Amino acid sequence: MALLSTTMQVLQKYRRKIQAWLTLQGRIRATMVWTLALGPLALVIAIVIPYQILFYIAYVYLLLIIAGYIWVRIIGPRVTIQRKRHNEWAQVGDELVEQWEVTNQSRLPLI
């Protein structure tokens, strides 16, 4: 029983490290998690109904998800956003003037 408990603790330790690495310590998160399931779902449908176009759709979708993740991993830590307000405070009905500056230190394009 002690061996099982120790094994579970080690797995939990590595799970946290892998999750922290994959999400850049929580700075990357999927906002629409259900879209990640469409690729494997298309692959399962392609296996059940063996049409060649379904395999192409599944592979392209999965490759796009992987490429998007790699793009975010590379570019995410190198992008900074700054907001500057011209007025320190405002009242209801006042016009707010802001200036946004996006800096990309990466070699890959942001948009």
Side-chain angles (χ1 to χ4, degrees):
M1 199 57 127
L3 179 63
L4 181 62
S5 175
T6 306
T7 305
M8 292 301 290
Q9 289 175 352
V10 169
L11 288 175
Q12 286 293 330
K13 176 181 156 186
Y14 285 120
R15 186 183 73 73
R16 286 188 212 118
K17 285 184 179 182
I18 291 171
Q19 184 178 8
W21 181 81
L22 286 174
T23 63
L24 286 174
Q25 284 73 34
R27 291 183 286 167
I28 298 176
R29 64 183 171 94
T31 55
M32 292 187 284
V33 180
W34 62 270
T35 59
L36 299 176
L38 293 178
L41 180 65
L43 191 59
V44 167
I45 292 172
I47 291 171
V48 173
I49 307 169
Y51 289 115
Q52 192 172 12
I53 189 71
L54 291 176
F55 282 104
Y56 288 139
I57 290 171
Y59 293 148
V60 167
Y61 190 82
L62 290 171
L63 288 174
L64 283 174
I65 293 292
I66 292 169
Y69 174 76
I70 291 170
W71 182 67
V72 168
R73 282 282 301 178
I74 291 172
I75 210 170
R78 294 170 181 85
V79 173
T80 58
I81 300 174
Q82 293 180 350
R83 182 182 82 164
K84 296 178 185 173
R85 293 178 303 207
H86 291 284
N87 298 330
E88 289 299 317
W89 61 277
Q91 293 180 351
V92 176
D94 286 350
E95 187 174 310
L96 295 175
V97 180
E98 295 180 327
Q99 181 180 357
W100 292 82
E101 181 180 329
V102 179
T103 307
N104 183 9
Q105 302 283 331
S106 175
R107 293 183 180 188
L108 294 175
L110 183 60
I111 297 176

